[in-house]
Amino acid sequence: MRHVRLFTASALLACAIGASAQAQDSLPGRVEFNPHWFVSAHAGAQYTLGEAKFADLLSPTVQVAAGYRFNPWLSARLSVGAWQSKGGINGYETGGRFVTTTYKYNYVAPAVDVMFNLSNAVCGYNPDRVFSLTAFVGGAANVAFGNGEANDLAAQGYSLRYNWTGTKVRAVGRGGLGLDFRLSDRVSLGLEGAANVLTDHYNSKRAGNADWYFNVMAGITINLGKTKNVRRPAPAPVAPPPAPKPTVQESKPEPAPQPKVEEKPVRSDVFFKINSSVISDAEKVKVRVLAEYLNNHKTAIVEVTGYADAGTGTAAINERLSAKRAEAVAVMLTGECGVEASRVRVSHKGDTVQPFAENDMNRVTICIISN
């Protein structure tokens, strides 16, 4: 449970940091994730658990990978890690005294990992999020070779009960975390930490428990192909102009009574970005057009209703967010645009009502003017 709480807290932190990144498009629209391939390369240090000081058991490691992102939170990759591991042994005799010595050997470990983007899973998909936290689990085949230094120690009579020669292939279970820093839609930099567990035979020493090695690496990830799609909403309906008055024939002394033309309500939809109640510059134009109409029609009133999309957040969060969106439009009408407050009626629906079929278009305040 402690690890689960740590993962969740880290994902929420990544959401909070990334929430400041706003979409670059000035026009509202629904941003959809597009499945795509990616490649990555990492380099760093490996620590192999053993009978020596921590610094003495550090060795270099590298990893290259290629994978596919199926949806905003689920990916899979094929990676190959390689370079060097180390072992340690107590009681090595040199110069008449006993010390701890180390020995190194090489490996190549092809692996398959399933990756979970915790930031998108917990906080919702945001293509402009700066920091993203990812967890992964998987399996590998460790191909170890070059164990000559351990063989030399065994030949001198030191106890290496699981000493091996030649090339050995062992199954590996692995898991870890990655933190990515987004530079663009294509490129991100990242840190990755992984724990790998094998049988007790890996480091040539018998310990009665599994052998472990841990990797910490920094690297770069490059996305291939299109990563997202942007769907623009249909333009808001515009009220038709008043019907022209029929021409009065000169032969009639008085015009025939004309039917009363019923004016249709004027509607405008003010869209917002995810988790935001700030009116963008493009949407402010719509609010000013509404205000101009109201100032020219002194008996008209406007119903301002805020909404939130049901696809992200919680009911409580969306209730507050829809109220803030409605209030933002009302404040601009009465403040900047000079519309009387008594002519602006404000309400909000949270995510209980979804006026649009597309989820992301429901981040909206709908304004309807009636006379």
Side-chain angles (χ1 to χ4, degrees):
M1 284 299 296
R2 183 179 179 184
H3 293 87
V4 172
R5 291 194 297 269
L6 178 61
F7 287 174
T8 304
S10 301
L12 291 173
L13 176 62
C15 290
I17 297 173
S20 62
Q22 298 295 328
Q24 299 300 314
D25 294 319
S26 61
L27 296 176
R30 178 182 180 182
V31 180
E32 295 180 338
F33 176 86
N34 192 64
H36 57 276
W37 292 92
F38 66 92
V39 294
S40 64
H42 290 76
Q46 179 184 110
Y47 168 68
T48 311
L49 198 61
E51 299 176 356
K53 294 180 181 179
F54 176 83
D56 293 337
L57 292 175
L58 292 177
S59 52
T61 187
V62 294
Q63 175 181 281
V64 294
Y68 189 77
R69 304 191 197 280
F70 299 98
N71 58 44
W73 57 269
L74 179 63
S75 307
R77 72 178 179 186
L78 174 64
S79 66
V80 178
W83 205 327
Q84 190 180 94
S85 292
K86 284 187 175 181
I89 184 170
N90 290 322
Y92 179 74
E93 184 178 1
T94 177
R97 62 192 182 93
F98 294 95
V99 298
T100 298
T101 190
T102 61
Y103 50 92
K104 60 182 179 292
Y105 45 100
N106 302 107
Y107 76 96
V108 175
V112 175
D113 296 321
V114 179
M115 309 173 70
F116 306 91
N117 188 308
L118 301 180
S119 299
N120 284 337
V122 175
C123 304
Y125 171 57
N126 180 358
D128 299 309
R129 182 173 285 115
V130 176
F131 291 97
S132 292
L133 182 68
T134 298
F136 62 88
V137 293
N142 184 290
V143 183
F145 57 95
N147 200 30
E149 293 184 2
N151 293 332
D152 292 341
L153 289 171
Q156 297 174 40
Y158 293 98
S159 178
L160 293 173
R161 299 180 63 180
Y162 285 159
N163 188 47
W164 51 270
T165 60
T167 300
K168 297 295 183 182
V169 180
R170 299 178 179 89
V172 182
R174 55 190 256 119
L177 290 173
L179 180 64
D180 287 318
F181 175 74
R182 176 184 177 275
L183 298 180
S184 67
D185 287 346
R186 295 282 185 186
V187 180
S188 63
L189 302 179
L191 293 174
E192 181 173 308
N196 302 266
V197 59
L198 309 87
T199 69
D200 193 20
H201 293 70
Y202 182 59
N203 64 3
S204 297
K205 294 207 63 178
R206 181 178 179 180
N209 51 259
D211 288 336
W212 292 81
Y213 63 86
F214 304 88
N215 296 335
V216 176
M217 300 174 290
I220 185 171
T221 299
I222 300 175
N223 295 315
L224 307 177
K226 191 175 183 181
T227 62
K228 62 184 179 181
N229 297 313
V230 180
R231 291 189 179 182
R232 302 295 184 193
V238 180
K245 295 182 179 181
T247 304
V248 180
Q249 297 181 0
E250 295 182 358
S251 59
K252 294 183 179 180
E254 295 182 0
Q258 302 298 320
K260 184 178 179 181
V261 178
E262 182 180 352
E263 294 187 8
K264 294 184 178 180
V266 177
R267 168 173 167 166
S268 184
D269 300 337
V270 181
F271 292 94
F272 294 83
K273 296 180 174 65
I274 186 172
N275 195 32
S276 174
S277 59
V278 178
I279 306 174
S280 67
D281 292 340
E283 300 302 288
K284 285 182 178 180
V285 175
K286 298 180 182 178
V287 180
R288 293 189 184 103
V289 171
L290 281 173
E292 183 179 359
Y293 184 94
L294 288 167
N295 289 329
N296 291 333
H297 297 76
K298 296 299 184 180
T299 61
I301 61 172
V302 60
E303 296 280 351
V304 178
T305 307
Y307 299 86
D309 68 284
T312 56
T314 64
I317 292 174
N318 290 337
E319 181 76 13
R320 293 192 297 270
L321 186 56
S322 67
K324 289 181 179 180
R325 287 169 174 166
E327 187 64 24
V329 174
V331 167
M332 182 175 175
L333 284 171
T334 57
E336 176 184 327
C337 301
V339 178
E340 296 177 5
S342 61
R343 298 171 61 199
V344 181
R345 299 176 181 175
V346 183
S347 62
H348 63 279
K349 302 293 186 181
D351 59 14
T352 60
V353 176
Q354 300 287 275
F356 294 98
E358 294 190 15
N359 178 72
D360 293 359
M361 290 180 63
N362 293 304
R363 301 164 188 154
V364 66
T365 292
I366 296 179
C367 306
I368 299 178
I369 295 177
S370 58
N371 293 303

